[in-house]
Amino acid sequence: MPERGSVAVRTLVVGGGLLGSAVVRELTRRDNPVTVARIGWDSDPAADLDHELDMFAGTVDGRWRIAWCAGAGVTATTTDLFAREEHTFRSLITTIERLCRQGRLDPRTGSVFLASSAGALYAGVVGGAPFTELSPTAPLAPYGFSKLALEAQLRQLAEATGVPASIGRFTNLYGPGQNLAKPQGLIAQLCRAHVTGQPIGIYVPLDTLRDYLYVDDAAALVLGLLDESASAPGTVTVKILGSHGSVSVAALLMQAQRVLRRPIRVLFGASSQAARQARDLRVRSVVLPQLDRRTLRTLPAGIAATAADVEHRLVRVVAAGGRR
Protein backbone atom coordinates (compact mmCIF):
# COMPACT_ATOMS: atom_id res chain seq x y z
CA MET A 1 0.00 0.00 0.00
CA PRO A 2 1.16 3.60 -0.53
CA GLU A 3 2.76 5.30 2.47
CA ARG A 4 0.37 7.06 4.83
CA GLY A 5 -0.20 10.59 3.58
CA SER A 6 0.95 9.82 0.06
CA VAL A 7 -1.17 9.47 -3.06
CA ALA A 8 -0.32 6.83 -5.65
CA VAL A 9 0.83 8.50 -8.85
CA ARG A 10 1.75 6.71 -12.05
CA THR A 11 5.37 7.60 -12.78
CA LEU A 12 7.62 7.18 -15.80
CA VAL A 13 11.31 7.15 -14.89
CA VAL A 14 13.63 7.82 -17.82
CA GLY A 15 17.04 6.29 -17.21
CA GLY A 16 18.11 3.14 -15.40
CA GLY A 17 21.44 4.33 -14.01
CA LEU A 18 22.46 5.28 -10.48
CA LEU A 19 19.72 7.86 -9.84
CA GLY A 20 17.00 6.31 -11.99
CA SER A 21 17.36 2.92 -10.30
CA ALA A 22 17.17 4.53 -6.85
CA VAL A 23 14.03 6.48 -7.78
CA VAL A 24 12.43 3.24 -9.02
CA ARG A 25 13.36 1.51 -5.74
CA GLU A 26 11.80 4.32 -3.71
CA LEU A 27 8.61 4.29 -5.78
CA THR A 28 8.37 0.52 -5.43
CA ARG A 29 8.88 0.82 -1.67
CA ARG A 30 5.96 3.26 -1.57
CA ASP A 31 3.87 0.91 -3.70
CA ASN A 32 3.49 3.53 -6.45
CA PRO A 33 3.05 2.28 -10.03
CA VAL A 34 6.21 2.94 -12.03
CA THR A 35 7.38 2.41 -15.60
CA VAL A 36 11.05 2.54 -16.58
CA ALA A 37 12.30 3.81 -19.94
CA ARG A 38 15.98 2.95 -20.32
CA ILE A 39 17.98 4.97 -22.82
CA GLY A 40 20.19 3.18 -25.34
CA TRP A 41 22.51 5.95 -26.47
CA ASP A 42 24.02 3.77 -29.20
CA SER A 43 20.66 3.14 -30.91
CA ASP A 44 17.89 5.67 -31.65
CA PRO A 45 17.03 6.95 -28.16
CA ALA A 46 14.57 9.61 -29.37
CA ALA A 47 12.43 7.11 -31.30
CA ASP A 48 12.56 4.59 -28.45
CA LEU A 49 11.51 7.21 -25.93
CA ASP A 50 8.67 8.44 -28.13
CA HIS A 51 7.27 4.91 -28.15
CA GLU A 52 7.68 4.56 -24.37
CA LEU A 53 5.82 7.83 -23.77
CA ASP A 54 2.93 6.78 -26.01
CA MET A 55 2.66 3.51 -24.09
CA PHE A 56 2.87 5.33 -20.75
CA ALA A 57 0.10 7.79 -21.70
CA GLY A 58 -2.16 4.82 -22.38
CA THR A 59 -1.80 3.68 -18.75
CA VAL A 60 -2.51 7.05 -17.11
CA ASP A 61 -5.94 7.42 -15.52
CA GLY A 62 -5.21 10.08 -12.91
CA ARG A 63 -2.11 11.83 -11.61
CA TRP A 64 1.12 11.26 -13.51
CA ARG A 65 4.80 12.16 -13.30
CA ILE A 66 7.77 11.91 -15.64
CA ALA A 67 11.26 11.97 -14.13
CA TRP A 68 14.26 12.43 -16.44
CA CYS A 69 17.13 10.73 -14.59
CA ALA A 70 19.21 9.87 -17.65
CA GLY A 71 22.61 11.16 -18.67
CA ALA A 72 24.82 10.44 -21.64
CA GLY A 73 28.08 11.86 -20.34
CA VAL A 74 30.24 13.33 -17.60
CA THR A 75 32.47 16.38 -17.28
CA ALA A 76 35.09 15.03 -19.72
CA THR A 77 32.59 13.87 -22.36
CA THR A 78 32.80 15.31 -25.86
CA THR A 79 30.16 17.67 -27.25
CA ASP A 80 28.74 15.21 -29.80
CA LEU A 81 27.37 12.92 -27.10
CA PHE A 82 25.82 15.86 -25.28
CA ALA A 83 24.22 16.92 -28.57
CA ARG A 84 22.55 13.51 -28.73
CA GLU A 85 21.32 13.87 -25.15
CA GLU A 86 19.89 17.32 -25.88
CA HIS A 87 18.17 15.99 -29.02
CA THR A 88 16.67 13.10 -27.04
CA PHE A 89 15.41 15.38 -24.29
CA ARG A 90 13.95 17.76 -26.88
CA SER A 91 12.10 14.79 -28.35
CA LEU A 92 10.73 13.99 -24.87
CA ILE A 93 9.48 17.57 -24.50
CA THR A 94 7.91 17.57 -27.97
CA THR A 95 6.13 14.29 -27.30
CA ILE A 96 4.77 15.47 -23.94
CA GLU A 97 3.43 18.60 -25.66
CA ARG A 98 1.76 16.44 -28.31
CA LEU A 99 0.20 14.13 -25.72
CA CYS A 100 -1.13 17.16 -23.81
CA ARG A 101 -2.66 18.64 -26.98
CA GLN A 102 -4.30 15.30 -27.75
CA GLY A 103 -5.77 15.11 -24.26
CA ARG A 104 -3.90 11.90 -23.46
CA LEU A 105 -1.95 13.61 -20.68
CA ASP A 106 -3.71 16.23 -18.57
CA PRO A 107 -1.30 19.08 -17.67
CA ARG A 108 -3.39 19.80 -14.56
CA THR A 109 -2.66 16.38 -13.05
CA GLY A 110 0.95 15.90 -14.11
CA SER A 111 4.47 17.06 -13.37
CA VAL A 112 7.89 16.66 -14.97
CA PHE A 113 11.29 16.47 -13.26
CA LEU A 114 14.78 17.03 -14.70
CA ALA A 115 17.99 15.89 -13.01
CA SER A 116 20.62 18.60 -13.45
CA SER A 117 24.01 19.32 -11.87
CA ALA A 118 24.96 21.93 -9.30
CA GLY A 119 28.69 21.34 -9.78
CA ALA A 120 28.50 21.75 -13.55
CA LEU A 121 26.42 24.94 -13.42
CA TYR A 122 28.32 26.79 -10.69
CA ALA A 123 31.83 25.63 -11.66
CA GLY A 124 32.86 28.95 -13.17
CA VAL A 125 31.35 31.29 -10.59
CA VAL A 126 34.15 33.25 -8.95
CA GLY A 127 33.62 33.32 -5.19
CA GLY A 128 30.15 33.33 -3.72
CA ALA A 129 30.16 29.89 -2.12
CA PRO A 130 28.03 28.49 -0.69
CA PHE A 131 25.96 28.66 -3.86
CA THR A 132 22.17 28.83 -3.73
CA GLU A 133 19.40 28.72 -6.30
CA LEU A 134 19.77 32.51 -6.52
CA SER A 135 23.44 32.31 -7.55
CA PRO A 136 24.37 32.97 -11.18
CA THR A 137 25.32 29.99 -13.32
CA ALA A 138 28.68 29.83 -15.10
CA PRO A 139 29.53 26.46 -16.68
CA LEU A 140 33.13 25.71 -17.64
CA ALA A 141 32.61 22.55 -19.69
CA PRO A 142 30.20 21.20 -22.33
CA TYR A 143 28.59 19.13 -19.55
CA GLY A 144 27.39 22.29 -17.79
CA PHE A 145 26.29 24.06 -20.96
CA SER A 146 24.30 20.96 -21.91
CA LYS A 147 22.55 20.92 -18.53
CA LEU A 148 21.58 24.56 -19.02
CA ALA A 149 20.16 23.69 -22.46
CA LEU A 150 18.02 20.93 -20.94
CA GLU A 151 16.77 23.28 -18.23
CA ALA A 152 15.75 25.81 -20.90
CA GLN A 153 13.82 23.14 -22.80
CA LEU A 154 11.93 22.18 -19.64
CA ARG A 155 10.97 25.80 -19.06
CA GLN A 156 9.57 25.94 -22.59
CA LEU A 157 7.43 22.88 -21.84
CA ALA A 158 5.97 24.45 -18.69
CA GLU A 159 5.22 27.68 -20.54
CA ALA A 160 3.65 25.92 -23.54
CA THR A 161 1.48 23.41 -21.68
CA GLY A 162 1.10 24.58 -18.09
CA VAL A 163 2.61 21.34 -16.78
CA PRO A 164 4.33 21.96 -13.42
CA ALA A 165 8.05 21.27 -13.74
CA SER A 166 10.97 20.93 -11.36
CA ILE A 167 14.75 20.84 -11.70
CA GLY A 168 16.98 19.13 -9.17
CA ARG A 169 20.51 20.50 -9.30
CA PHE A 170 22.39 17.65 -7.65
CA THR A 171 25.67 17.76 -5.84
CA ASN A 172 27.90 14.64 -6.04
CA LEU A 173 25.74 11.52 -6.07
CA TYR A 174 27.23 8.25 -4.87
CA GLY A 175 26.10 4.84 -3.70
CA PRO A 176 25.48 1.25 -4.81
CA GLY A 177 25.05 0.77 -8.55
CA GLN A 178 27.38 3.51 -9.77
CA ASN A 179 28.83 2.84 -13.22
CA LEU A 180 32.48 1.99 -12.56
CA ALA A 181 33.34 2.35 -16.24
CA LYS A 182 32.56 6.08 -16.23
CA PRO A 183 35.37 8.40 -15.10
CA GLN A 184 33.28 9.86 -12.30
CA GLY A 185 32.25 9.17 -8.73
CA LEU A 186 35.27 9.56 -6.45
CA ILE A 187 33.74 7.48 -3.67
CA ALA A 188 32.93 4.57 -6.00
CA GLN A 189 36.40 4.77 -7.53
CA LEU A 190 37.99 4.75 -4.06
CA CYS A 191 35.97 1.66 -3.24
CA ARG A 192 37.06 0.05 -6.51
CA ALA A 193 40.70 0.77 -5.68
CA HIS A 194 40.15 -0.74 -2.24
CA VAL A 195 38.73 -3.98 -3.70
CA THR A 196 41.19 -4.39 -6.57
CA GLY A 197 44.32 -3.03 -4.92
CA GLN A 198 44.93 -0.87 -7.97
CA PRO A 199 45.88 2.79 -7.45
CA ILE A 200 43.43 5.62 -8.04
CA GLY A 201 44.48 8.84 -9.75
CA ILE A 202 43.47 12.16 -8.21
CA TYR A 203 43.99 15.27 -10.31
CA VAL A 204 42.52 18.05 -8.17
CA PRO A 205 43.94 19.77 -5.07
CA LEU A 206 43.35 18.01 -1.76
CA ASP A 207 41.47 21.01 -0.38
CA THR A 208 38.83 20.73 -3.14
CA LEU A 209 35.42 20.85 -1.45
CA ARG A 210 32.47 18.74 -2.55
CA ASP A 211 29.02 17.87 -1.19
CA TYR A 212 28.26 14.12 -1.33
CA LEU A 213 24.66 12.88 -1.40
CA TYR A 214 23.78 9.20 -0.98
CA VAL A 215 21.64 8.08 -3.91
CA ASP A 216 18.74 6.66 -1.89
CA ASP A 217 18.44 9.99 -0.07
CA ALA A 218 18.54 11.69 -3.47
CA ALA A 219 15.64 9.54 -4.70
CA ALA A 220 13.48 10.54 -1.74
CA LEU A 221 14.29 14.19 -2.41
CA VAL A 222 13.28 13.81 -6.08
CA LEU A 223 9.86 12.49 -5.14
CA GLY A 224 9.43 15.18 -2.50
CA LEU A 225 10.30 17.85 -5.04
CA LEU A 226 7.84 16.39 -7.55
CA ASP A 227 5.09 16.41 -4.93
CA GLU A 228 5.81 19.97 -3.80
CA SER A 229 6.00 21.41 -7.32
CA ALA A 230 2.91 19.62 -8.67
CA SER A 231 0.56 22.27 -7.27
CA ALA A 232 2.12 25.16 -9.22
CA PRO A 233 0.82 24.97 -12.83
CA GLY A 234 3.10 26.37 -15.51
CA THR A 235 5.96 27.09 -13.13
CA VAL A 236 9.47 25.63 -12.90
CA THR A 237 10.83 24.99 -9.41
CA VAL A 238 14.63 24.85 -9.19
CA LYS A 239 16.18 23.30 -6.09
CA ILE A 240 19.71 22.29 -5.15
CA LEU A 241 19.64 18.71 -3.87
CA GLY A 242 22.54 17.78 -1.63
CA SER A 243 23.59 16.87 1.89
CA HIS A 244 24.61 20.51 2.60
CA GLY A 245 27.76 19.29 4.28
CA SER A 246 30.95 19.73 2.24
CA VAL A 247 34.01 17.51 2.57
CA SER A 248 37.52 18.10 1.21
CA VAL A 249 39.21 15.46 -0.93
CA ALA A 250 41.79 14.99 1.84
CA ALA A 251 39.10 14.42 4.47
CA LEU A 252 37.27 12.03 2.15
CA LEU A 253 40.44 9.96 1.65
CA MET A 254 40.96 9.70 5.41
CA GLN A 255 37.30 8.84 5.96
CA ALA A 256 37.38 6.12 3.29
CA GLN A 257 40.55 4.56 4.69
CA ARG A 258 39.07 4.61 8.19
CA VAL A 259 35.87 2.89 7.01
CA LEU A 260 37.62 0.38 4.73
CA ARG A 261 40.37 -0.29 7.28
CA ARG A 262 43.09 -0.40 4.68
CA PRO A 263 45.27 2.24 3.01
CA ILE A 264 44.19 3.12 -0.53
CA ARG A 265 46.92 3.60 -3.11
CA VAL A 266 46.62 7.09 -4.54
CA LEU A 267 48.52 8.65 -7.42
CA PHE A 268 48.45 12.44 -7.55
CA GLY A 269 48.85 14.12 -10.90
CA ALA A 270 47.79 16.90 -13.23
CA SER A 271 45.04 16.88 -15.85
CA SER A 272 43.61 19.37 -18.31
CA GLN A 273 40.19 18.47 -16.90
CA ALA A 274 41.15 20.00 -13.55
CA ALA A 275 40.64 23.45 -15.05
CA ARG A 276 36.96 22.57 -15.44
CA GLN A 277 36.63 21.74 -11.74
CA ALA A 278 35.88 24.42 -9.15
CA ARG A 279 37.82 24.13 -5.90
CA ASP A 280 34.98 25.26 -3.62
CA LEU A 281 31.52 23.90 -4.42
CA ARG A 282 29.74 24.35 -1.13
CA VAL A 283 25.98 24.77 -1.57
CA ARG A 284 22.97 25.87 0.47
CA SER A 285 19.39 25.48 -0.73
CA VAL A 286 16.95 28.33 -0.03
CA VAL A 287 14.04 26.78 -1.98
CA LEU A 288 11.52 24.48 -0.25
CA PRO A 289 13.70 24.17 2.87
CA GLN A 290 11.20 21.76 4.40
CA LEU A 291 12.43 19.06 2.02
CA ASP A 292 15.88 19.23 3.62
CA ARG A 293 14.58 18.58 7.11
CA ARG A 294 15.27 14.87 7.02
CA THR A 295 17.85 12.44 8.31
CA LEU A 296 20.37 11.49 5.64
CA ARG A 297 22.70 8.52 5.53
CA THR A 298 26.06 9.41 7.07
CA LEU A 299 29.15 9.48 4.87
CA PRO A 300 30.83 6.51 6.65
CA ALA A 301 27.68 4.40 6.28
CA GLY A 302 27.38 5.42 2.63
CA ILE A 303 31.00 4.55 1.90
CA ALA A 304 30.55 1.14 3.56
CA ALA A 305 27.41 0.39 1.51
CA THR A 306 29.11 1.48 -1.70
CA ALA A 307 32.19 -0.63 -0.99
CA ALA A 308 30.07 -3.72 -0.33
CA ASP A 309 28.25 -3.22 -3.62
CA VAL A 310 31.47 -2.65 -5.59
CA GLU A 311 33.07 -5.76 -4.10
CA HIS A 312 29.99 -7.85 -4.88
CA ARG A 313 29.90 -6.69 -8.49
CA LEU A 314 33.64 -7.12 -9.11
CA VAL A 315 33.59 -10.63 -7.62
CA ARG A 316 30.80 -11.53 -10.04
CA VAL A 317 32.84 -10.15 -12.94
CA VAL A 318 35.82 -12.32 -11.96
CA ALA A 319 33.57 -15.36 -11.57
CA ALA A 320 32.17 -14.74 -15.05
CA GLY A 321 35.63 -14.69 -16.57
CA GLY A 322 35.89 -10.92 -16.83
CA ARG A 323 32.59 -10.43 -18.63
CA ARG A 324 30.52 -7.52 -17.23
Side-chain angles (χ1 to χ4, degrees):
M1 296 295 293
E3 285 188 337
R4 180 175 296 179
S6 67
V7 178
V9 187
R10 187 165 294 279
T11 306
L12 173 68
V13 176
V14 182
L18 179 66
L19 178 61
S21 296
V23 171
V24 170
R25 286 196 302 271
E26 182 64 17
L27 285 165
T28 302
R29 187 185 71 81
R30 299 183 184 191
D31 200 25
N32 277 201
V34 57
T35 302
V36 183
R38 290 180 170 82
I39 300 291
W41 297 110
D42 295 329
S43 57
D44 187 353
D48 294 342
L49 190 53
D50 186 74
H51 173 72
E52 292 282 356
L53 280 165
D54 268 308
M55 297 289 290
F56 172 72
T59 68
V60 171
D61 57 1
R63 290 183 60 201
W64 57 274
R65 298 182 293 206
I66 296 173
W68 175 276
C69 302
V74 296
T75 302
T77 302
T78 55
T79 55
D80 57 335
L81 190 53
F82 288 125
R84 171 167 285 206
E85 182 175 345
E86 290 168 35
H87 170 72
T88 303
F89 189 72
R90 189 178 303 112
S91 177
L92 172 88
I93 297 300
T94 301
T95 302
I96 294 174
E97 289 181 357
R98 172 176 61 81
L99 293 170
C100 288
R101 288 196 307 270
Q102 294 172 344
R104 299 181 61 199
L105 288 179
D106 186 347
R108 298 168 299 178
T109 60
S111 57
V112 180
F113 168 83
L114 167 65
S116 188
S117 169
L121 297 188
Y122 302 125
V125 180
V126 179
F131 303 110
T132 75
E133 294 87 354
L134 303 179
S135 300
T137 57
L140 291 176
Y143 181 56
F145 289 108
S146 181
K147 292 301 182 188
L148 275 183
L150 300 189
E151 291 190 6
Q153 291 178 34
L154 185 62
R155 289 187 172 90
Q156 291 169 10
L157 172 70
E159 182 178 347
T161 65
V163 173
S166 55
I167 297 169
R169 290 179 176 170
F170 286 100
T171 58
N172 291 54
L173 293 182
Y174 78 100
Q178 190 142 29
N179 186 346
L180 300 177
K182 279 187 175 183
Q184 68 173 161
L186 179 54
I187 289 177
Q189 295 300 326
L190 286 171
C191 293
R192 187 177 191 276
H194 160 72
V195 172
T196 64
Q198 298 174 350
I200 178 175
I202 292 181
Y203 305 101
V204 296
L206 286 175
D207 62 352
T208 299
L209 290 170
R210 292 293 183 268
D211 179 300
Y212 295 94
L213 178 63
Y214 191 71
V215 69
D216 287 350
D217 294 324
L221 286 166
V222 168
L223 297 184
L225 180 54
L226 274 164
D227 286 340
E228 291 284 350
S229 62
S231 59
T235 63
V236 179
T237 304
V238 179
K239 180 170 175 60
I240 293 173
L241 301 179
S243 69
H244 305 292
S246 296
V247 180
S248 70
V249 171
L252 180 64
L253 286 172
M254 288 189 292
Q255 188 78 267
Q257 293 185 146
R258 186 178 301 116
V259 171
L260 302 175
R261 300 181 180 180
R262 191 167 73 199
I264 298 172
R265 297 170 60 198
V266 180
L267 300 177
F268 298 98
S271 169
S272 60
Q273 296 300 322
R276 297 177 172 181
Q277 303 280 346
R279 184 169 293 192
D280 185 353
L281 273 177
R282 289 171 295 144
V283 297
R284 178 175 61 87
S285 179
V286 296
V287 174
L288 299 175
Q290 65 271 23
L291 290 182
D292 300 315
R293 300 186 191 118
R294 64 181 68 222
T295 301
L296 302 178
R297 184 168 295 221
T298 65
L299 187 57
I303 292 172
T306 305
D309 171 72
V310 170
E311 182 170 15
H312 175 69
R313 285 192 285 153
L314 291 181
V315 167
R316 285 171 54 192
V317 168
V318 172
R323 297 187 302 273
R324 290 189 179 273

